[in-house]
Amino acid sequence: MNSSTEHLEGVKGCGFNDCLDILRELPVFNGVPLDVVKVLAYLSGREEFGAGDALCEQGEALDRCFFLLCGEVETTRQTEDCEVSFSKRGKGFFFGGLGLLGSVKALYTVRAATDTQCLVLSREKFLKTAERFPDILPKILGNVVDHVFRWEEAFLKAHAAECAQNGEMGLSLF
């Protein structure tokens, strides 16, 4: 048994309380009542991906969010000319949260670079929970808006001259 497989087996043993702790720490669920986060933790599942497996494919429906429990993923985007590799991320990487809120297509392909295990929550299960607890949606949307503004501010600091030259403006003007 290799160390990657041993690590995956150790993660298999984590239970409801571990899922709950993970969800409580995610910024998207910041301020959501504990009872609701408990429901989401109960509805979340674990999925394993072998090296090379796609967690999501660019252009396909993004209908789940993922939290990497172990392993590493690579994020790429196909352009007209070539595939561009953006980053490799490991344990603790969270993505797909916007897919919980609406019907969107993935802008990137996220592929397991190593054997990987994720905590996964589907949009269907999230929306059923939101129907039962509708007061969570304004809080979650506020968390998303806060994230967008923080990201855009950092992006503009790093690329202000380029954006000004191209006449590009950001999402906060939406």
Side-chain angles (χ1 to χ4, degrees), residues 58-169:
Q58 179 179 331
E60 293 183 359
L62 182 59
D63 57 359
R64 306 181 292 170
C65 67
F66 301 81
F67 178 88
L68 267 69
L69 297 167
C70 66
E72 188 175 56
V73 295
E74 181 176 16
T75 304
T76 61
R77 179 161 170 83
Q78 184 68 42
T79 65
E80 291 179 15
D81 300 335
C82 63
E83 184 175 85
V84 178
S85 179
F86 281 85
S87 66
K88 283 191 176 181
R89 300 284 176 94
K91 181 179 178 179
F93 179 53
F94 173 75
F95 70 96
L98 290 177
L100 298 177
L101 299 173
S103 294
V104 296
K105 292 185 178 183
L107 298 177
Y108 306 91
T109 294
V110 179
R111 200 172 296 287
T114 64
D115 289 346
T116 301
Q117 189 176 86
C118 300
L119 183 65
V120 179
L121 177 64
S122 72
R123 179 178 51 233
E124 177 185 4
K125 291 177 180 178
F126 172 79
L127 291 177
K128 286 184 181 186
T129 304
E131 286 176 13
R132 185 170 170 209
F133 303 99
D135 293 345
I136 68 169
L137 288 177
K139 186 62 184 162
I140 290 173
L141 289 174
N143 293 338
V144 170
V145 169
D146 288 346
H147 179 76
V148 168
F149 270 82
R150 283 192 313 275
W151 179 88
E152 186 171 343
E153 185 174 39
F155 182 83
L156 289 172
K157 281 182 182 179
H159 303 283
E162 181 183 340
C163 291
Q165 180 181 2
N166 295 329
E168 295 179 18
M169 294 187 276

